[in-house]
Amino acid sequence: MLENLQLWYQHGWIRAIDLSFAQQLAKQLEDDQEAVVLLAAFVSYQLGRGHPCLDLAQLYAEPEQTLGLPPEHASVESLQACELPQQLLCNVAGAESLESAVQVLLESPAVNNDNSPLVLQGQRLYLRRYFRYEQQIKTDLAARMKALQPVNLGQLKHVLDELFGTQQTISWQRTACAMAMRSLFTIVTGGPGTGKTYTVVRLLATLQKLRGQPEPLRIRLAAPTGKAAARMSESIGNELLTLTSIDDVKADIPTEAVTLHRLLGTLPNSRSFRHHKDNPLHTDVVIIDEASMVDIEMMAAVVNALPPRARLILLGDKDQLASVEAGAILGQLCEQAEHGHYTPELTEWLNATTNVALPTDKTDASGAEWPYLQHTTMFHESRRFDPNKGIGKLADEVNRQQHVWLEQWLQDSDAMAAAHVEFDNIRMRAVPRPNHQSVQQLVEQGYAPLLKLIETRPESRNAEEIDVWAAKILKQLEQFQILTAVREGEWGMHQFNQRISYWLFGDQAAEHGWFEGRPVMVTHNDYSLDLRNGDIGIVLRREPNEPLRVAFPTTDGTIRWLLPSRLTQVDTAFAMTIHKSQGSEFSHTVMVLPEHDVPILTKELLYTGITRAKQQFTMVCAHPQLVLKAVRRRIQRSGGLANG
């Protein structure tokens, strides 16, 4: 068994840490515990793929599909040398069937004992640390959901009438504000443009107006990345400018969002944070935007640092990609949110806060079986996209895993766009290779305004004028963006960045790592420079003969100028992965798919890429039929948050 795992590692099927964990565990167990060692290796491997646990039922029903093995890059040599997961399970004593595996795990000293490395719960096998994370989240959220708050429904209805006016149809934004008053845990989910920012400002105003104490509530705003935090700050600030009915509490509504790492207080060379159960945050409310990007370890740290009486409010799109690290917190908590599943008691309570009753199909007599949904509001209508055409319709069809309309578009994008207005802002470019002339033309046209703006450096040495110029350039970066599904290979992010750098800047891009006009993305948090993973800057010269510097925007609207030598962990950002684009929006988004089908191509990946576009979306790929395969494939991350 260990020899087989060694071969898997040598051929790149599993990671070094997966093999090492199995080897160390084998030294501590008897020879008849081979099945435990094998399953432990699988748990570690699944963790690297984003799964907090190994679902044994799935493993035994579909071993290859569950583990994603053999990998897409597997060579003929590796296929001949390595046993497939199904074969390995059959050949290891105690691992031949689901029943035998569960029995041998239950009898093993490595499972379910104090401080044992593995925990078996039902048919899910965990590393102990990740089991603790999950239990910590479940226990904390259960307590907050049970802590129903006293609410004067008459006062609440009056405040909501002030904020939303009298309405003739159901307002899910208003429902979300009412829901947030009811308990210490609330989820607001919906796609781009459905009104989450519009709602959160009114939600904060509702909380402050009905706070029941003379002092303002202490509210903290946070997001997983620096970019998402900056967008949250900007959006809330802009929304406050348009809202005149909350002048009495406007000063009590914060506009500055920080990263979760900064909120909790990172400690050098440690996974721990300054704020925890014994040193909780000084806050009454914490609101986390882009919650789909939060992994299980970070969410456990958040709830551990929250005071017992503080409100936790999660905002995000449940249909987006899950976090890069292990877990799919928002997706699991919001599963089936589109159907409501509200208990009759909750429906009656919500109806008392408005003049428009909730749709009857959102009430479920068995709603108690969906505890998280009793604290969840989902927005359905996008104010940004028309659901009947273009980007809106494409995103909706992909999200629902439908493909009738999609197939028509894939067959002849240009003809469909010319004949039907419903295809007006989406295009497909099927090209045989990523450096095709049409792709180069698309890139050069997209980045032409950026290059022109860089050439308009003010002649004056006035620092304010230079900063205004740099700010315009950084804003222009949001107008056009290449997104790739993968990092490596001809169709991947790294090679596209090299290609685009050469197309736009020629030999100077190849000869010099740093050149004027190079956009860069920070890839790791750098607290000494106050930069976060995902922050975007651009290389410029403030004066013609001055050394190159990198301009970064700040939350207060100013520009920070840093020498390139101080930035050790950055990538060129003409192209970025779809994963890295979460929390961003671009006027024209170009999504590039790889030449061959790979497991990462899922409906969630496509949906996330499509919804980064605000005005125009272009898909570039070698084989359009890959899109249909991706639409049929879903991310199914294992975990027990939503059940026992």
Side-chain angles (χ1 to χ4, degrees):
M1 183 272 300
L2 286 176
E3 289 175 359
N4 272 284
L5 291 179
Q6 179 74 45
L7 284 172
W8 281 12
Y9 166 65
Q10 290 173 356
H11 290 281
W13 288 26
I14 61 175
R15 306 172 301 168
I17 193 171
D18 307 328
L19 175 62
S20 178
F21 179 52
Q23 291 172 331
Q24 292 301 315
L25 195 58
K27 292 178 181 178
Q28 302 171 26
L29 298 176
E30 301 294 334
D31 292 341
D32 63 355
Q33 297 280 294
E34 270 199 333
V36 177
V37 174
L38 176 63
L39 295 172
F42 289 171
V43 173
S44 175
Y45 169 74
Q46 287 292 79
L47 186 63
R49 300 177 66 230
H51 300 273
C53 64
L54 173 66
D55 189 314
L56 295 173
Q58 288 183 2
L59 175 68
Y60 279 90
E62 299 175 310
E64 280 74 31
Q65 184 173 330
T66 299
L67 297 174
L69 293 174
E72 292 294 327
H73 63 261
S75 63
V76 174
E77 177 190 2
S78 71
L79 290 172
Q80 292 173 342
C82 302
E83 288 189 9
L84 296 177
Q86 176 76 56
Q87 297 171 305
L88 196 51
L89 287 168
C90 291
N91 293 337
V92 173
E96 308 95 332
S97 67
L98 174 61
E99 294 74 17
S100 60
V102 169
Q103 188 60 38
V104 75
L105 286 168
L106 289 173
E107 296 173 355
S108 173
V111 181
N112 286 15
N113 293 316
D114 292 342
N115 296 319
S116 62
L118 300 171
V119 175
L120 180 66
Q121 187 178 58
Q123 296 179 343
R124 296 188 301 273
L125 185 63
Y126 294 81
L127 293 180
R128 176 165 293 278
R129 180 152 58 91
Y130 284 83
F131 176 75
R132 285 175 174 164
Y133 291 152
E134 187 172 277
Q135 292 303 305
Q136 191 170 9
I137 295 169
K138 291 175 69 172
T139 301
D140 184 272
L141 296 187
R144 293 183 198 280
M145 290 189 293
K146 288 179 182 177
L148 297 181
Q149 302 299 290
V151 180
N152 183 311
L153 292 179
Q155 290 181 354
L156 174 58
K157 185 175 183 300
H158 176 72
V159 168
L160 295 179
D161 285 343
E162 284 184 340
L163 294 171
F164 292 93
T166 55
Q167 296 170 313
Q168 303 302 314
T169 58
I170 182 70
S171 169
W172 290 108
Q173 288 78 15
R174 178 175 176 141
T175 301
C177 290
M179 188 86 82
M181 295 299 299
R182 191 167 174 267
S183 75
L184 299 181
F185 177 61
T186 307
I187 301 174
V188 179
T189 186
T194 52
K196 293 190 293 294
T197 302
Y198 168 90
T199 302
V200 74
V201 172
R202 287 158 178 80
L203 190 157
L204 291 173
T206 304
L207 288 169
Q208 292 288 21
K209 282 174 176 284
L210 299 175
R211 61 188 181 235
Q213 61 186 50
E215 302 83 15
L217 295 175
R218 298 167 298 177
I219 299 171
R220 301 298 303 273
L221 307 175
T225 66
K227 184 190 298 184
R231 282 190 55 81
M232 188 183 191
S233 300
E234 180 183 10
S235 299
I236 290 178
N238 291 339
E239 187 64 33
L240 276 175
L241 294 175
T242 67
L243 193 58
T244 59
S245 62
I246 61 168
D247 290 343
D248 56 329
V249 295
K250 187 172 287 188
D252 301 329
I253 296 178
T255 58
E256 182 182 359
V258 298
T259 63
L260 289 171
H261 284 86
R262 169 163 284 192
L263 175 73
L264 299 178
T266 52
L267 297 174
N269 305 314
S270 172
R271 301 177 77 105
S272 302
F273 295 97
R274 185 163 53 88
H275 290 290
H276 45 76
K277 183 178 181 180
D278 298 323
N279 181 32
L281 292 161
H282 300 293
T283 185
D284 299 303
V285 182
V286 169
I287 299 185
I288 301 175
D289 197 11
E290 297 293 346
S292 63
M293 300 166 64
V294 181
D295 61 80
I296 191 170
E297 182 175 3
M298 177 56 77
M299 185 59 75
V302 168
V303 299
N304 189 41
L306 273 180
R309 301 302 302 170
R311 276 183 166 89
L312 175 62
I313 300 171
L314 304 182
L315 309 175
D317 185 348
K318 76 179 185 68
D319 296 314
Q320 271 191 193
L321 284 167
S323 57
V324 175
E325 303 298 329
I329 303 295
L330 194 68
Q332 290 182 6
L333 297 180
C334 292
E335 187 179 357
Q336 297 290 318
E338 60 271 23
H339 301 300
H341 289 296
Y342 296 149
T343 64
E345 294 78 14
L346 175 59
T347 299
E348 182 180 357
W349 190 93
L350 291 172
N351 285 342
T353 69
T354 180
N355 295 320
V356 182
L358 269 64
T360 56
D361 64 351
K362 302 300 181 186
T363 302
D364 181 356
S366 304
E369 297 175 7
W370 306 85
Y372 297 115
L373 296 189
Q374 310 314 306
H375 304 264
T376 299
T377 307
M378 182 170 182
F379 300 161
H380 303 271
E381 293 185 17
S382 174
R383 302 179 183 185
R384 182 182 309 159
F385 302 131
D386 184 336
N388 299 311
K389 67 176 186 177
I391 295 170
K393 187 166 184 175
L394 179 62
D396 180 65
E397 183 151 308
V398 166
N399 193 35
R400 291 187 295 110
Q401 295 185 283
Q402 304 296 312
H403 48 79
V404 175
W405 183 82
L406 180 61
E407 281 191 86
Q408 297 176 2
W409 178 66
L410 292 174
Q411 288 173 5
D412 195 338
S413 170
D414 290 338
M416 295 299 289
H420 304 281
V421 69
E422 63 189 84
F423 294 88
D424 62 348
N425 59 4
I426 56 175
R427 294 289 185 275
M428 159 67 70
R429 295 208 178 186
V431 294
R433 57 187 187 280
N435 59 350
H436 192 269
Q437 184 179 4
S438 65
V439 179
Q440 182 175 348
Q441 290 173 347
L442 178 67
V443 168
E444 289 175 345
Q445 290 172 2
Y447 282 117
L450 176 70
L451 302 186
K452 185 176 181 180
L453 200 54
I454 292 173
E455 293 173 357
T456 63
R457 179 193 301 107
E459 295 182 4
S460 165
R461 294 189 177 185
N462 182 283
E464 287 187 9
E465 290 186 25
I466 298 294
D467 282 1
V468 169
W469 167 68
K472 289 180 179 178
I473 292 173
L474 287 164
K475 196 69 177 175
Q476 181 61 40
L477 282 175
E478 299 176 4
Q479 303 306 303
F480 181 83
Q481 184 64 51
I482 304 290
L483 302 181
T484 65
V486 295
R487 293 176 59 85
E488 309 299 338
E490 278 196 321
W491 300 81
M493 180 266 290
H494 288 304
Q495 289 206 29
F496 251 96
N497 273 317
Q498 294 176 8
R499 204 174 288 126
I500 294 170
S501 297
Y502 180 76
W503 285 342
L504 300 182
F505 295 96
D507 291 335
Q508 66 167 315
E511 294 172 3
H512 309 287
W514 294 95
F515 55 90
E516 188 168 24
R518 178 194 178 193
V520 294
M521 173 185 282
V522 177
T523 57
H524 291 80
N525 294 330
D526 188 333
Y527 296 100
S528 65
L529 295 177
D530 195 24
L531 292 175
R532 301 294 179 268
N533 186 357
D535 285 355
I536 297 284
I538 190 164
V539 181
L540 298 171
R541 294 185 195 274
R542 291 186 292 193
E543 296 180 22
N545 298 320
E546 187 184 60
L548 292 171
R549 282 181 168 79
V550 186
F552 285 97
T554 63
T555 54
D556 61 6
T558 59
I559 299 296
R560 296 180 62 213
W561 297 88
L562 298 174
L563 289 170
S565 58
R566 301 185 68 188
L567 303 174
T568 57
Q569 294 179 309
V570 294
D571 279 333
T572 303
F574 287 119
M576 67 179 71
T577 62
I578 297 171
H579 269 96
K580 281 289 189 181
S581 74
Q582 292 188 87
S584 300
E585 297 170 347
F586 311 99
S587 295
H588 183 184
T589 297
V590 179
M591 184 167 69
V592 179
L593 302 184
E595 184 179 17
H596 302 293
D597 189 26
V598 290
I600 197 174
L601 291 181
T602 61
K603 73 102 172 174
E604 288 86 357
L605 187 87
L606 295 184
Y607 171 81
T608 302
I610 293 165
T611 53
R612 298 313 90 200
K614 291 194 292 185
Q615 299 173 8
Q616 188 174 354
F617 173 77
T618 302
M619 186 180 294
V620 174
C621 64
H623 306 295
Q625 291 303 307
L626 281 184
V627 179
L628 297 178
K629 286 188 176 181
V631 168
R632 297 185 187 108
R633 183 185 293 133
R634 292 194 60 182
I635 294 176
Q636 298 264 350
R637 284 202 173 173
S638 302
L641 270 182
N643 44 47

